[in-house]
Amino acid sequence: MTADPSPLAPTSLSPRLKALAPALGVLIALFLSSIVIALSGVNPLEAYQTFMAGAFGGSRQITETLLKATPILIIALGLTIAFQARVWNIGAEGQYHIGALLAGTVALVQPDLPAPIMMLAMVLAGLGGGLLWSLIAGLLQLKRGVNLIIGTLMLNYIGILLVQYVARVPLRDPNGFLPETARFAATAQLPRLFGTRLHIGVLLALLLVPLTYLLLWRTPLGFRLRAVGNGPTVARSVGIWPHRHRLIALLISGSLAGLAGMIEISYTYLRLRPNISDGYGFTGILVALLGQLSPIGTLIAAVLFSALVVGAQALNVTLQVPVAVAGVLQALLVLGVLAGNAIAKR
Amino acid sequence: MIDITKRFPGVVANQGVNFAVQGGEIHGLLGENGAGKTTLMNILCGLYRPDQGQIQLQGRPVQFHRPADAIAAGIGMVHQHFQLVERFTVAENLVLGERKQLWRDNPKRLHQRLRQLASRYGLDLDPAMPVWQLSVGQQQRVEILKALYRQARVLILDEPTAVLTPQETQGLIATLQQLAAQGTSIIFISHKLNEVLAVCDRITVLRDGQTMGTVAAADCDTHRLAEMMVGREVDFTRPERASRDRPEPRLRLEAVSVQGHHQRPALDAISLTVHSGEIVGIAGVDGNGQRELEEVIVGLRPPNQGTIHSQGTLAHIPSDRYTMGLIGAFSVTENLLLRDYRYPPFQRRGMLRPKVMAQQAMTLVNDYLVRTPSVQTPSRQLSGGNAQKVVIARELSRQPQVILAAQPTRGLDVGAIDYVHAQLMAQRDAGAAILLISTELDEILRLCDRIAVLYEGQIVGWANAATANVNHLGLMMAGKHPPETLSIPMAHDR
Ligand SMILES: Nc1ncnc2c1ncn2[C@@H]1O[C@H](COP(=O)(O)OP(=O)(O)OP(=O)(O)O)[C@@H](O)[C@H]1O
Ligand SMILES: [Mg+2]
């Protein structure tokens, strides 16, 4: 409301109750979802059981959940950094696509690179693609005053369509029936972990959790990013330049989204084609917010969201509940937790 | 208010506080920084709910669940830190939350009415001005007017005079006395003991969240009050001035001009030099270019004309600690190291060292008497005075060569003011060049070697602290040129 940041809201809840508020939000979300599930003619308890079993019931299910969580987690960690600096990058979906596009192009144009060099080149192309795409939005804002939310949002569509175009026209597989490129060489596939279906990208994503924490809370750069996010005028008066640091935060989040695109393209799809994302870039926004902009919270939220999708598939197969129910549950969860937090802040 | 207790994580802000105000009374509320004054008043105006205790209004127990309840009951509060929408005009801020008023009145009539209301209480304001263009002092007048506009019967003023000049304070006091005569009860929080004694009928003192007692102003003096506040005798003696050797210019402004709003320059060809080992004071009524002068010196705003030379590290104690000094979400530690976090020993091989940072913070918190539950506490949870001490600790602990101190003791209690003054003088003796911008004439006279008076963006005169005449300074601050000072314009500034 004013320049005054002091919280003048009534503090009527006890601290212990406050810590529980997000959990309470989850419970309320589950309750409301039960109604939706019951409306589709299924016993909610049975549905939740199937759901849990589908997402965590065995090593196959857990693997599936982790695989699905990986791109979401990488994107959401990048957005955690951006949002900590109050940089509203909602263009992760586009950055993801351009990362995938550049990495895929490398794999298709230089199929004979030896494995380690191929991987390195693809990782760099993925990071670079995401960086480039976010840089465009950043420069549009800095030089032309284009609102970052609008800029990044619009670039999403261009990024998605660009992948479709490249897959259909210049790099289309002349021998295939579908509008997609040829399959990548084996050297362009992410190495698996010890004979499981998990790949090295999962490990990387998990490693990025502590790294993000360290960056934000243990490095001078992270200190500056948070300073710019929490008090831009104060930051400026102690010599921390908001524009520069907002751009840095944007580029970090863009690069990570591009990396997520590279990982998906060199594991799940192994070629460029339309539909190479399950809306990961948008889910990442929700996950970062749900995770309260903390890396650990983001990890939990990413696994939760992925479990929702995986569990919903099981639900669909076993009990014929529409997959859209998972979407409803996701949305309710986000609202529930955010509302819980809003109450806790009072 | 009966037996009020309010706890925050790590602190008991109010503990069994009893506090009663009578109709038509001006009641002073005193206490050191962090004693719990603001918290108690936030409970009274419905912002906090007490953990224990009861509020009674005219003998009947009441419960305020939200500020609107308290406003409806006729309790208006002017907060220590203002609650205004910066983008809105004065008038819009006043009618905020009363949609039907906004419907009924066209802006012209509303402005007319507000102008009348303002002048009735001697509050000089233009209802059409957007709030962000107003000085801190003017913003406060908006707050007072807002409470009056809502027909408050109990008016709470949290450190209202901290931002006012002596003349403005006189005006405010007249307004308050007029209101009290009409039956309004006024609760007046201040750290200026003389002022409290002069204005108030009765005075309640808080210490560490507890009531130390209520006394009639008539049978009290500053020493007794100070003793009640701190629990010991307070020393009011004037500090001695050390001699200085070989001054060299450290901060130099040459014909600096800054464009303001309404075509008028906010700063008009300001020239001044501050040497090592001296304190130069900028006296003047708030809103005459102080904010612009501050911003232009620290580089937050480029001058339209003229040059600024500054030598060595510049420390800046900003006039507005919340927009320029402290990040509310950051911990006390992070705020204390907002400038030094990236230098050793706080950083090693690219990584911050939280333990070393916390240790340094603990040292500064002890040295500067900051009262906080821990150094991890977010700074927005500190009391007003303690927040100010954090800024001062950060800026003065860096052994600066140049210090720009703008309203450095605003909101501090007597003990803390003494401490900060001593610090500034110690820095001066260590060779720092200090520019002190203050609307407190007392402070300027106490600390400065040379005094410049700022009026409508111009330096209208210089005075030597040793020979300065308070009345002449006052006249110059009001824009009237006493004949003696006209003849010595820039001569002092060599
Ligand atoms: N919202 C809050 N959360 C946690 N602690 C708080 C909060 N508000 C105040 N406190 C703590 O309560 C104590 C009393 O603070 P309060 O603001 O009432 O002091 P005060 O008497 O107004 O001091 P000052 O003269 O410095 O303004 C302080 O220790 C402060 O840190
Ligand atoms: Mg206070």
Side-chain angles (χ1 to χ4, degrees), chain B residues 8 11 13 32-39 48 80 159 191 381-386:
Chain B
F8 290 115
V11 273
E32 287 186 288
N33 292 133
K37 305 178 294 294
T38 300
T39 304
Y48 294 152
Q80 199 166 3
E159 300 189 29
H191 289 295
Q381 291 181 5
L382 297 184
S383 81
N386 283 302

mmCIF file with all atom_site columns, all heavy atoms in Angstrom, chain B residues 8 11 13 32-39 48 80 159 191 381-386, ligand 1:
data_model
loop_
_atom_site.group_PDB
_atom_site.id
_atom_site.type_symbol
_atom_site.label_atom_id
_atom_site.label_alt_id
_atom_site.label_comp_id
_atom_site.label_asym_id
_atom_site.label_entity_id
_atom_site.label_seq_id
_atom_site.pdbx_PDB_ins_code
_atom_site.Cartn_x
_atom_site.Cartn_y
_atom_site.Cartn_z
_atom_site.occupancy
_atom_site.B_iso_or_equiv
_atom_site.pdbx_formal_charge
_atom_site.auth_seq_id
_atom_site.auth_comp_id
_atom_site.auth_asym_id
_atom_site.auth_atom_id
_atom_site.pdbx_PDB_model_num
ATOM   1   N N   . PHE B 1 8   ? 5.194  -11.358 20.433 1.00 0.00 ? 8   PHE B N   1
ATOM   2   C CA  . PHE B 1 8   ? 5.654  -11.701 19.090 1.00 0.00 ? 8   PHE B CA  1
ATOM   3   C C   . PHE B 1 8   ? 6.696  -12.794 19.266 1.00 0.00 ? 8   PHE B C   1
ATOM   4   O O   . PHE B 1 8   ? 7.246  -12.934 20.354 1.00 0.00 ? 8   PHE B O   1
ATOM   5   C CB  . PHE B 1 8   ? 6.284  -10.488 18.399 1.00 0.00 ? 8   PHE B CB  1
ATOM   6   C CG  . PHE B 1 8   ? 5.300  -9.434  18.029 1.00 0.00 ? 8   PHE B CG  1
ATOM   7   C CD1 . PHE B 1 8   ? 5.350  -8.184  18.618 1.00 0.00 ? 8   PHE B CD1 1
ATOM   8   C CD2 . PHE B 1 8   ? 4.306  -9.697  17.099 1.00 0.00 ? 8   PHE B CD2 1
ATOM   9   C CE1 . PHE B 1 8   ? 4.437  -7.210  18.287 1.00 0.00 ? 8   PHE B CE1 1
ATOM   10  C CE2 . PHE B 1 8   ? 3.402  -8.722  16.758 1.00 0.00 ? 8   PHE B CE2 1
ATOM   11  C CZ  . PHE B 1 8   ? 3.463  -7.479  17.354 1.00 0.00 ? 8   PHE B CZ  1
ATOM   12  N N   . VAL B 1 11  ? 9.736  -12.038 21.516 1.00 0.00 ? 11  VAL B N   1
ATOM   13  C CA  . VAL B 1 11  ? 9.604  -10.858 22.378 1.00 0.00 ? 11  VAL B CA  1
ATOM   14  C C   . VAL B 1 11  ? 8.199  -10.748 22.950 1.00 0.00 ? 11  VAL B C   1
ATOM   15  O O   . VAL B 1 11  ? 7.223  -11.166 22.327 1.00 0.00 ? 11  VAL B O   1
ATOM   16  C CB  . VAL B 1 11  ? 9.858  -9.524  21.630 1.00 0.00 ? 11  VAL B CB  1
ATOM   17  C CG1 . VAL B 1 11  ? 11.305 -9.171  21.617 1.00 0.00 ? 11  VAL B CG1 1
ATOM   18  C CG2 . VAL B 1 11  ? 9.264  -9.550  20.256 1.00 0.00 ? 11  VAL B CG2 1
ATOM   19  N N   . ALA B 1 13  ? 5.990  -7.805  23.546 1.00 0.00 ? 13  ALA B N   1
ATOM   20  C CA  . ALA B 1 13  ? 5.985  -6.378  23.221 1.00 0.00 ? 13  ALA B CA  1
ATOM   21  C C   . ALA B 1 13  ? 5.201  -5.585  24.259 1.00 0.00 ? 13  ALA B C   1
ATOM   22  O O   . ALA B 1 13  ? 5.569  -4.463  24.608 1.00 0.00 ? 13  ALA B O   1
ATOM   23  C CB  . ALA B 1 13  ? 5.404  -6.159  21.824 1.00 0.00 ? 13  ALA B CB  1
ATOM   24  N N   . GLU B 1 32  ? 11.423 4.010   25.628 1.00 0.00 ? 32  GLU B N   1
ATOM   25  C CA  . GLU B 1 32  ? 12.570 3.862   24.738 1.00 0.00 ? 32  GLU B CA  1
ATOM   26  C C   . GLU B 1 32  ? 12.167 3.160   23.443 1.00 0.00 ? 32  GLU B C   1
ATOM   27  O O   . GLU B 1 32  ? 11.076 2.603   23.339 1.00 0.00 ? 32  GLU B O   1
ATOM   28  C CB  . GLU B 1 32  ? 13.646 3.009   25.419 1.00 0.00 ? 32  GLU B CB  1
ATOM   29  C CG  . GLU B 1 32  ? 14.392 3.696   26.514 1.00 0.00 ? 32  GLU B CG  1
ATOM   30  C CD  . GLU B 1 32  ? 15.518 2.808   27.011 1.00 0.00 ? 32  GLU B CD  1
ATOM   31  O OE1 . GLU B 1 32  ? 15.227 1.812   27.686 1.00 0.00 ? 32  GLU B OE1 1
ATOM   32  O OE2 . GLU B 1 32  ? 16.681 3.110   26.702 1.00 0.00 ? 32  GLU B OE2 1
ATOM   33  N N   . ASN B 1 33  ? 13.089 3.137   22.499 1.00 0.00 ? 33  ASN B N   1
ATOM   34  C CA  . ASN B 1 33  ? 12.843 2.404   21.251 1.00 0.00 ? 33  ASN B CA  1
ATOM   35  C C   . ASN B 1 33  ? 12.592 0.932   21.563 1.00 0.00 ? 33  ASN B C   1
ATOM   36  O O   . ASN B 1 33  ? 13.376 0.289   22.247 1.00 0.00 ? 33  ASN B O   1
ATOM   37  C CB  . ASN B 1 33  ? 14.048 2.509   20.324 1.00 0.00 ? 33  ASN B CB  1
ATOM   38  C CG  . ASN B 1 33  ? 14.241 3.920   19.805 1.00 0.00 ? 33  ASN B CG  1
ATOM   39  O OD1 . ASN B 1 33  ? 15.336 4.444   19.825 1.00 0.00 ? 33  ASN B OD1 1
ATOM   40  N ND2 . ASN B 1 33  ? 13.177 4.530   19.344 1.00 0.00 ? 33  ASN B ND2 1
ATOM   41  N N   . GLY B 1 34  ? 11.471 0.453   21.073 1.00 0.00 ? 34  GLY B N   1
ATOM   42  C CA  . GLY B 1 34  ? 11.157 -0.959  21.291 1.00 0.00 ? 34  GLY B CA  1
ATOM   43  C C   . GLY B 1 34  ? 10.433 -1.228  22.597 1.00 0.00 ? 34  GLY B C   1
ATOM   44  O O   . GLY B 1 34  ? 10.236 -2.376  22.971 1.00 0.00 ? 34  GLY B O   1
ATOM   45  N N   . ALA B 1 35  ? 10.008 -0.163  23.293 1.00 0.00 ? 35  ALA B N   1
ATOM   46  C CA  . ALA B 1 35  ? 9.327  -0.361  24.572 1.00 0.00 ? 35  ALA B CA  1
ATOM   47  C C   . ALA B 1 35  ? 7.918  -0.918  24.388 1.00 0.00 ? 35  ALA B C   1
ATOM   48  O O   . ALA B 1 35  ? 7.335  -1.473  25.313 1.00 0.00 ? 35  ALA B O   1
ATOM   49  C CB  . ALA B 1 35  ? 9.260  0.956   25.346 1.00 0.00 ? 35  ALA B CB  1
ATOM   50  N N   . GLY B 1 36  ? 7.360  -0.760  23.200 1.00 0.00 ? 36  GLY B N   1
ATOM   51  C CA  . GLY B 1 36  ? 6.038  -1.330  22.948 1.00 0.00 ? 36  GLY B CA  1
ATOM   52  C C   . GLY B 1 36  ? 4.950  -0.311  22.702 1.00 0.00 ? 36  GLY B C   1
ATOM   53  O O   . GLY B 1 36  ? 3.765  -0.639  22.705 1.00 0.00 ? 36  GLY B O   1
ATOM   54  N N   . LYS B 1 37  ? 5.322  0.929   22.458 1.00 0.00 ? 37  LYS B N   1
ATOM   55  C CA  . LYS B 1 37  ? 4.335  1.990   22.261 1.00 0.00 ? 37  LYS B CA  1
ATOM   56  C C   . LYS B 1 37  ? 3.497  1.752   21.011 1.00 0.00 ? 37  LYS B C   1
ATOM   57  O O   . LYS B 1 37  ? 2.262  1.766   21.048 1.00 0.00 ? 37  LYS B O   1
ATOM   58  C CB  . LYS B 1 37  ? 5.044  3.355   22.126 1.00 0.00 ? 37  LYS B CB  1
ATOM   59  C CG  . LYS B 1 37  ? 5.965  3.674   23.277 1.00 0.00 ? 37  LYS B CG  1
ATOM   60  C CD  . LYS B 1 37  ? 6.672  5.000   23.075 1.00 0.00 ? 37  LYS B CD  1
ATOM   61  C CE  . LYS B 1 37  ? 7.641  5.029   21.922 1.00 0.00 ? 37  LYS B CE  1
ATOM   62  N NZ  . LYS B 1 37  ? 8.821  4.170   22.075 1.00 0.00 ? 37  LYS B NZ  1
ATOM   63  N N   . THR B 1 38  ? 4.191  1.532   19.894 1.00 0.00 ? 38  THR B N   1
ATOM   64  C CA  . THR B 1 38  ? 3.483  1.356   18.636 1.00 0.00 ? 38  THR B CA  1
ATOM   65  C C   . THR B 1 38  ? 2.592  0.121   18.684 1.00 0.00 ? 38  THR B C   1
ATOM   66  O O   . THR B 1 38  ? 1.450  0.141   18.224 1.00 0.00 ? 38  THR B O   1
ATOM   67  C CB  . THR B 1 38  ? 4.497  1.253   17.479 1.00 0.00 ? 38  THR B CB  1
ATOM   68  O OG1 . THR B 1 38  ? 5.254  2.456   17.443 1.00 0.00 ? 38  THR B OG1 1
ATOM   69  C CG2 . THR B 1 38  ? 3.794  1.068   16.156 1.00 0.00 ? 38  THR B CG2 1
ATOM   70  N N   . THR B 1 39  ? 3.122  -0.943  19.280 1.00 0.00 ? 39  THR B N   1
ATOM   71  C CA  . THR B 1 39  ? 2.330  -2.168  19.380 1.00 0.00 ? 39  THR B CA  1
ATOM   72  C C   . THR B 1 39  ? 1.034  -1.907  20.144 1.00 0.00 ? 39  THR B C   1
ATOM   73  O O   . THR B 1 39  ? -0.053 -2.315  19.718 1.00 0.00 ? 39  THR B O   1
ATOM   74  C CB  . THR B 1 39  ? 3.156  -3.252  20.097 1.00 0.00 ? 39  THR B CB  1
ATOM   75  O OG1 . THR B 1 39  ? 4.376  -3.438  19.392 1.00 0.00 ? 39  THR B OG1 1
ATOM   76  C CG2 . THR B 1 39  ? 2.395  -4.557  20.160 1.00 0.00 ? 39  THR B CG2 1
ATOM   77  N N   . TYR B 1 48  ? -3.731 -5.141  15.542 1.00 0.00 ? 48  TYR B N   1
ATOM   78  C CA  . TYR B 1 48  ? -3.346 -6.371  16.216 1.00 0.00 ? 48  TYR B CA  1
ATOM   79  C C   . TYR B 1 48  ? -4.446 -6.741  17.188 1.00 0.00 ? 48  TYR B C   1
ATOM   80  O O   . TYR B 1 48  ? -5.137 -5.872  17.724 1.00 0.00 ? 48  TYR B O   1
ATOM   81  C CB  . TYR B 1 48  ? -2.062 -6.188  17.030 1.00 0.00 ? 48  TYR B CB  1
ATOM   82  C CG  . TYR B 1 48  ? -0.816 -5.918  16.235 1.00 0.00 ? 48  TYR B CG  1
ATOM   83  C CD1 . TYR B 1 48  ? 0.218  -5.193  16.803 1.00 0.00 ? 48  TYR B CD1 1
ATOM   84  C CD2 . TYR B 1 48  ? -0.651 -6.419  14.951 1.00 0.00 ? 48  TYR B CD2 1
ATOM   85  C CE1 . TYR B 1 48  ? 1.383  -4.947  16.098 1.00 0.00 ? 48  TYR B CE1 1
ATOM   86  C CE2 . TYR B 1 48  ? 0.510  -6.180  14.237 1.00 0.00 ? 48  TYR B CE2 1
ATOM   87  C CZ  . TYR B 1 48  ? 1.517  -5.438  14.814 1.00 0.00 ? 48  TYR B CZ  1
ATOM   88  O OH  . TYR B 1 48  ? 2.674  -5.198  14.128 1.00 0.00 ? 48  TYR B OH  1
ATOM   89  N N   . GLN B 1 80  ? 3.418  5.817   12.511 1.00 0.00 ? 80  GLN B N   1
ATOM   90  C CA  . GLN B 1 80  ? 4.816  6.222   12.467 1.00 0.00 ? 80  GLN B CA  1
ATOM   91  C C   . GLN B 1 80  ? 5.296  6.211   11.010 1.00 0.00 ? 80  GLN B C   1
ATOM   92  O O   . GLN B 1 80  ? 6.011  7.084   10.577 1.00 0.00 ? 80  GLN B O   1
ATOM   93  C CB  . GLN B 1 80  ? 5.595  5.201   13.298 1.00 0.00 ? 80  GLN B CB  1
ATOM   94  C CG  . GLN B 1 80  ? 6.936  5.633   13.764 1.00 0.00 ? 80  GLN B CG  1
ATOM   95  C CD  . GLN B 1 80  ? 7.447  4.669   14.846 1.00 0.00 ? 80  GLN B CD  1
ATOM   96  O OE1 . GLN B 1 80  ? 6.797  3.676   15.163 1.00 0.00 ? 80  GLN B OE1 1
ATOM   97  N NE2 . GLN B 1 80  ? 8.591  4.977   15.404 1.00 0.00 ? 80  GLN B NE2 1
ATOM   98  N N   . GLU B 1 159 ? 4.616  9.398   17.012 1.00 0.00 ? 159 GLU B N   1
ATOM   99  C CA  . GLU B 1 159 ? 5.770  10.252  16.701 1.00 0.00 ? 159 GLU B CA  1
ATOM   100 C C   . GLU B 1 159 ? 5.477  11.254  15.588 1.00 0.00 ? 159 GLU B C   1
ATOM   101 O O   . GLU B 1 159 ? 6.154  11.291  14.566 1.00 0.00 ? 159 GLU B O   1
ATOM   102 C CB  . GLU B 1 159 ? 6.977  9.383   16.339 1.00 0.00 ? 159 GLU B CB  1
ATOM   103 C CG  . GLU B 1 159 ? 7.357  8.459   17.482 1.00 0.00 ? 159 GLU B CG  1
ATOM   104 C CD  . GLU B 1 159 ? 8.674  7.736   17.256 1.00 0.00 ? 159 GLU B CD  1
ATOM   105 O OE1 . GLU B 1 159 ? 9.527  8.297   16.561 1.00 0.00 ? 159 GLU B OE1 1
ATOM   106 O OE2 . GLU B 1 159 ? 8.829  6.642   17.777 1.00 0.00 ? 159 GLU B OE2 1
ATOM   107 N N   . HIS B 1 191 ? 9.461  11.140  21.315 1.00 0.00 ? 191 HIS B N   1
ATOM   108 C CA  . HIS B 1 191 ? 10.691 10.946  22.068 1.00 0.00 ? 191 HIS B CA  1
ATOM   109 C C   . HIS B 1 191 ? 11.230 12.273  22.578 1.00 0.00 ? 191 HIS B C   1
ATOM   110 O O   . HIS B 1 191 ? 12.259 12.319  23.233 1.00 0.00 ? 191 HIS B O   1
ATOM   111 C CB  . HIS B 1 191 ? 11.746 10.269  21.187 1.00 0.00 ? 191 HIS B CB  1
ATOM   112 C CG  . HIS B 1 191 ? 11.437 8.835   20.910 1.00 0.00 ? 191 HIS B CG  1
ATOM   113 N ND1 . HIS B 1 191 ? 11.423 7.890   21.899 1.00 0.00 ? 191 HIS B ND1 1
ATOM   114 C CD2 . HIS B 1 191 ? 11.090 8.192   19.779 1.00 0.00 ? 191 HIS B CD2 1
ATOM   115 C CE1 . HIS B 1 191 ? 11.109 6.716   21.380 1.00 0.00 ? 191 HIS B CE1 1
ATOM   116 N NE2 . HIS B 1 191 ? 10.884 6.874   20.096 1.00 0.00 ? 191 HIS B NE2 1
ATOM   117 N N   . GLN B 1 381 ? 10.233 -6.346  11.330 1.00 0.00 ? 381 GLN B N   1
ATOM   118 C CA  . GLN B 1 381 ? 9.629  -6.584  12.643 1.00 0.00 ? 381 GLN B CA  1
ATOM   119 C C   . GLN B 1 381 ? 10.248 -5.724  13.732 1.00 0.00 ? 381 GLN B C   1
ATOM   120 O O   . GLN B 1 381 ? 9.842  -5.800  14.881 1.00 0.00 ? 381 GLN B O   1
ATOM   121 C CB  . GLN B 1 381 ? 9.776  -8.059  13.017 1.00 0.00 ? 381 GLN B CB  1
ATOM   122 C CG  . GLN B 1 381 ? 8.917  -8.956  12.148 1.00 0.00 ? 381 GLN B CG  1
ATOM   123 C CD  . GLN B 1 381 ? 9.032  -10.416 12.524 1.00 0.00 ? 381 GLN B CD  1
ATOM   124 O OE1 . GLN B 1 381 ? 9.683  -10.769 13.489 1.00 0.00 ? 381 GLN B OE1 1
ATOM   125 N NE2 . GLN B 1 381 ? 8.384  -11.266 11.750 1.00 0.00 ? 381 GLN B NE2 1
ATOM   126 N N   . LEU B 1 382 ? 11.239 -4.909  13.392 1.00 0.00 ? 382 LEU B N   1
ATOM   127 C CA  . LEU B 1 382 ? 11.855 -4.066  14.411 1.00 0.00 ? 382 LEU B CA  1
ATOM   128 C C   . LEU B 1 382 ? 10.972 -2.854  14.690 1.00 0.00 ? 382 LEU B C   1
ATOM   129 O O   . LEU B 1 382 ? 10.214 -2.414  13.826 1.00 0.00 ? 382 LEU B O   1
ATOM   130 C CB  . LEU B 1 382 ? 13.222 -3.577  13.934 1.00 0.00 ? 382 LEU B CB  1
ATOM   131 C CG  . LEU B 1 382 ? 14.276 -4.639  13.677 1.00 0.00 ? 382 LEU B CG  1
ATOM   132 C CD1 . LEU B 1 382 ? 15.587 -3.983  13.304 1.00 0.00 ? 382 LEU B CD1 1
ATOM   133 C CD2 . LEU B 1 382 ? 14.458 -5.523  14.882 1.00 0.00 ? 382 LEU B CD2 1
ATOM   134 N N   . SER B 1 383 ? 11.112 -2.296  15.881 1.00 0.00 ? 383 SER B N   1
ATOM   135 C CA  . SER B 1 383 ? 10.428 -1.039  16.164 1.00 0.00 ? 383 SER B CA  1
ATOM   136 C C   . SER B 1 383 ? 11.099 0.059   15.348 1.00 0.00 ? 383 SER B C   1
ATOM   137 O O   . SER B 1 383 ? 12.233 -0.097  14.891 1.00 0.00 ? 383 SER B O   1
ATOM   138 C CB  . SER B 1 383 ? 10.508 -0.724  17.652 1.00 0.00 ? 383 SER B CB  1
ATOM   139 O OG  . SER B 1 383 ? 11.754 -0.146  17.964 1.00 0.00 ? 383 SER B OG  1
ATOM   140 N N   . GLY B 1 384 ? 10.382 1.179   15.165 1.00 0.00 ? 384 GLY B N   1
ATOM   141 C CA  . GLY B 1 384 ? 10.882 2.244   14.294 1.00 0.00 ? 384 GLY B CA  1
ATOM   142 C C   . GLY B 1 384 ? 12.292 2.685   14.639 1.00 0.00 ? 384 GLY B C   1
ATOM   143 O O   . GLY B 1 384 ? 13.170 2.780   13.775 1.00 0.00 ? 384 GLY B O   1
ATOM   144 N N   . GLY B 1 385 ? 12.533 2.934   15.902 1.00 0.00 ? 385 GLY B N   1
ATOM   145 C CA  . GLY B 1 385 ? 13.834 3.424   16.324 1.00 0.00 ? 385 GLY B CA  1
ATOM   146 C C   . GLY B 1 385 ? 14.926 2.395   16.105 1.00 0.00 ? 385 GLY B C   1
ATOM   147 O O   . GLY B 1 385 ? 16.045 2.722   15.706 1.00 0.00 ? 385 GLY B O   1
ATOM   148 N N   . ASN B 1 386 ? 14.607 1.149   16.353 1.00 0.00 ? 386 ASN B N   1
ATOM   149 C CA  . ASN B 1 386 ? 15.620 0.108   16.185 1.00 0.00 ? 386 ASN B CA  1
ATOM   150 C C   . ASN B 1 386 ? 15.950 -0.118  14.721 1.00 0.00 ? 386 ASN B C   1
ATOM   151 O O   . ASN B 1 386 ? 17.087 -0.433  14.378 1.00 0.00 ? 386 ASN B O   1
ATOM   152 C CB  . ASN B 1 386 ? 15.167 -1.179  16.866 1.00 0.00 ? 386 ASN B CB  1
ATOM   153 C CG  . ASN B 1 386 ? 15.340 -1.090  18.370 1.00 0.00 ? 386 ASN B CG  1
ATOM   154 O OD1 . ASN B 1 386 ? 16.430 -0.872  18.853 1.00 0.00 ? 386 ASN B OD1 1
ATOM   155 N ND2 . ASN B 1 386 ? 14.234 -1.179  19.096 1.00 0.00 ? 386 ASN B ND2 1
HETATM 156 N N1  . LIG C 2 .   ? 5.081  -7.374  13.655 1.00 0.00 ? 1   LIG C N1  1
HETATM 157 C C1  . LIG C 2 .   ? 6.010  -7.690  14.567 1.00 0.00 ? 1   LIG C C1  1
HETATM 158 N N2  . LIG C 2 .   ? 6.550  -8.909  14.590 1.00 0.00 ? 1   LIG C N2  1
HETATM 159 C C2  . LIG C 2 .   ? 7.481  -9.255  15.514 1.00 0.00 ? 1   LIG C C2  1
HETATM 160 N N3  . LIG C 2 .   ? 7.924  -8.418  16.461 1.00 0.00 ? 1   LIG C N3  1
HETATM 161 C C3  . LIG C 2 .   ? 7.420  -7.179  16.507 1.00 0.00 ? 1   LIG C C3  1
HETATM 162 C C4  . LIG C 2 .   ? 6.437  -6.746  15.557 1.00 0.00 ? 1   LIG C C4  1
HETATM 163 N N4  . LIG C 2 .   ? 6.126  -5.466  15.839 1.00 0.00 ? 1   LIG C N4  1
HETATM 164 C C5  . LIG C 2 .   ? 6.870  -5.110  16.904 1.00 0.00 ? 1   LIG C C5  1
HETATM 165 N N5  . LIG C 2 .   ? 7.652  -6.135  17.315 1.00 0.00 ? 1   LIG C N5  1
HETATM 166 C C6  . LIG C 2 .   ? 8.584  -6.118  18.459 1.00 0.00 ? 1   LIG C C6  1
HETATM 167 O O1  . LIG C 2 .   ? 7.894  -5.631  19.579 1.00 0.00 ? 1   LIG C O1  1
HETATM 168 C C7  . LIG C 2 .   ? 8.715  -4.765  20.366 1.00 0.00 ? 1   LIG C C7  1
HETATM 169 C C8  . LIG C 2 .   ? 8.008  -3.438  20.571 1.00 0.00 ? 1   LIG C C8  1
HETATM 170 O O2  . LIG C 2 .   ? 7.932  -2.739  19.343 1.00 0.00 ? 1   LIG C O2  1
HETATM 171 P P1  . LIG C 2 .   ? 7.162  -1.350  19.145 1.00 0.00 ? 1   LIG C P1  1
HETATM 172 O O3  . LIG C 2 .   ? 7.172  -1.077  17.691 1.00 0.00 ? 1   LIG C O3  1
HETATM 173 O O4  . LIG C 2 .   ? 5.865  -1.387  19.833 1.00 0.00 ? 1   LIG C O4  1
HETATM 174 O O5  . LIG C 2 .   ? 8.154  -0.350  19.890 1.00 0.00 ? 1   LIG C O5  1
HETATM 175 P P2  . LIG C 2 .   ? 8.031  1.241   20.067 1.00 0.00 ? 1   LIG C P2  1
HETATM 176 O O6  . LIG C 2 .   ? 7.874  1.506   21.511 1.00 0.00 ? 1   LIG C O6  1
HETATM 177 O O7  . LIG C 2 .   ? 7.021  1.793   19.166 1.00 0.00 ? 1   LIG C O7  1
HETATM 178 O O8  . LIG C 2 .   ? 9.510  1.680   19.639 1.00 0.00 ? 1   LIG C O8  1
HETATM 179 P P3  . LIG C 2 .   ? 10.015 2.922   18.712 1.00 0.00 ? 1   LIG C P3  1
HETATM 180 O O9  . LIG C 2 .   ? 10.151 4.101   19.600 1.00 0.00 ? 1   LIG C O9  1
HETATM 181 O O10 . LIG C 2 .   ? 11.384 2.474   18.262 1.00 0.00 ? 1   LIG C O10 1
HETATM 182 O O11 . LIG C 2 .   ? 9.077  3.106   17.592 1.00 0.00 ? 1   LIG C O11 1
HETATM 183 C C9  . LIG C 2 .   ? 10.027 -4.657  19.608 1.00 0.00 ? 1   LIG C C9  1
HETATM 184 O O12 . LIG C 2 .   ? 10.961 -5.505  20.239 1.00 0.00 ? 1   LIG C O12 1
HETATM 185 C C10 . LIG C 2 .   ? 9.728  -5.160  18.228 1.00 0.00 ? 1   LIG C C10 1
HETATM 186 O O13 . LIG C 2 .   ? 10.847 -5.814  17.685 1.00 0.00 ? 1   LIG C O13 1
#
